Amino acid sequence: GLRKKEVNVLVVGLNNSGKSTVINNFKREDDRCIDIVPTVGFNVEKFAYKFFNLSIGVLDNILFMSIDTGITHFPSLPFPSLTRICTASDKLRLVVVKEELDMLLQHPDVAGRKIPILFLANKMDLPDSLTTVKLVAGLGLERIQNKPWHIRATNALTGEGLQPAIEWLTDQIR
Ligand code: GDP
């Protein structure tokens, strides 16, 4: 029969990188999303949690959680699956993203575990956005050997790239 698995997805990214827009994209009741995860029981809550503004969206039994910054300040990560979003156009803050990523990868709840990491190079529509190839190099993603990872250029406004990205993620956590 149908077996429902509860999966928690942690969405991490710089402020203004498009996390809420990505989540809202899944909130919309369009057919593409319904194919992947039913929209039954979806809701989003925003509230302040510790030092962060969190927005949590529950899409069927998948939990999306977005944190503006400072993942490294979490005492422990309660969520086994992670999605990381960065902004493809934000070259100046790439260093910040790399630092946060390094901290995240070294986090005791993350380091030894085969947690799939999906990188969304969002705002691909902006003329100065970095290519995924440049982001792989800039963030040093090739060094992530013990976790499946994937990078996709996305446009959260139109939804471009999000479908294949979320398909990759659901394949990993099936
Ligand atoms: P958050 O702080 O990470 O949750 O970012 P938001 O989802 O609030 O998005 C910040 C701003 O970027 C909003 O004005 C969005 O409309 C815009 N935005 C989000 N995704 C994209 C994108 O792919 N392309 C462009 N051009 N703008 C985007």
Side-chain angles (χ1 to χ4, degrees):
L2 285 175
R3 189 173 56 92
K4 280 198 176 176
K5 193 171 161 185
E6 188 161 317
V7 176
N8 301 306
V9 179
L10 180 63
V11 183
V12 186
L14 297 174
N15 62 307
N16 207 42
S17 58
K19 298 180 298 297
S20 308
T21 312
V22 166
I23 291 166
N24 282 340
N25 225 281
F26 295 114
K27 184 185 177 186
R28 260 199 341 240
E29 289 189 22
D30 62 19
D31 291 340
R32 297 181 317 163
C33 285
I34 289 164
D35 283 343
I36 301 301
V37 272
T39 50
V40 181
F42 182 88
N43 72 356
V44 175
E45 287 175 34
K46 280 195 185 240
F47 55 90
Y49 175 77
K50 300 205 171 167
F51 312 112
F52 316 111
N53 287 321
L54 294 189
S55 59
I56 295 186
V58 181
L59 183 58
D60 195 18
N61 51 6
I62 294 187
L63 176 71
F64 291 89
M65 182 177 188
S66 92
I67 300 173
D68 274 339
T69 184
I71 185 68
T72 52
H73 301 289
F74 261 89
S76 71
L77 285 170
F79 303 107
S81 302
L82 301 173
T83 295
R84 194 162 179 103
I85 298 180
C86 72
T87 304
S89 71
D90 213 341
K91 293 190 189 76
L92 282 178
R93 295 202 293 172
L94 195 61
V95 174
V96 179
V97 173
K98 187 169 187 302
E99 276 170 10
E100 290 279 322
L101 175 62
D102 291 346
M103 297 286 226
L104 183 70
L105 291 172
Q106 286 163 23
H107 193 286
D109 288 356
V110 176
R113 298 168 66 186
K114 260 192 97 183
I115 298 168
I117 307 182
L118 171 63
F119 295 88
L120 301 184
N122 195 40
K123 306 199 184 182
M124 63 184 279
D125 55 301
L126 296 185
D128 61 342
S129 64
L130 290 171
T131 62
T132 54
V133 172
K134 283 192 172 149
L135 280 167
V136 168
L139 296 175
L141 299 188
E142 302 286 8
R143 76 208 145 100
I144 307 174
Q145 305 274 348
N146 66 343
K147 293 174 183 45
W149 61 269
H150 186 69
I151 184 166
R152 273 274 166 183
T154 59
N155 177 347
L157 294 181
T158 62
E160 192 179 353
L162 284 178
Q163 185 71 5
I166 209 72
E167 270 172 21
W168 178 84
L169 193 61
T170 50
D171 279 351
Q172 299 304 310
I173 60 190
R174 223 189 285 276

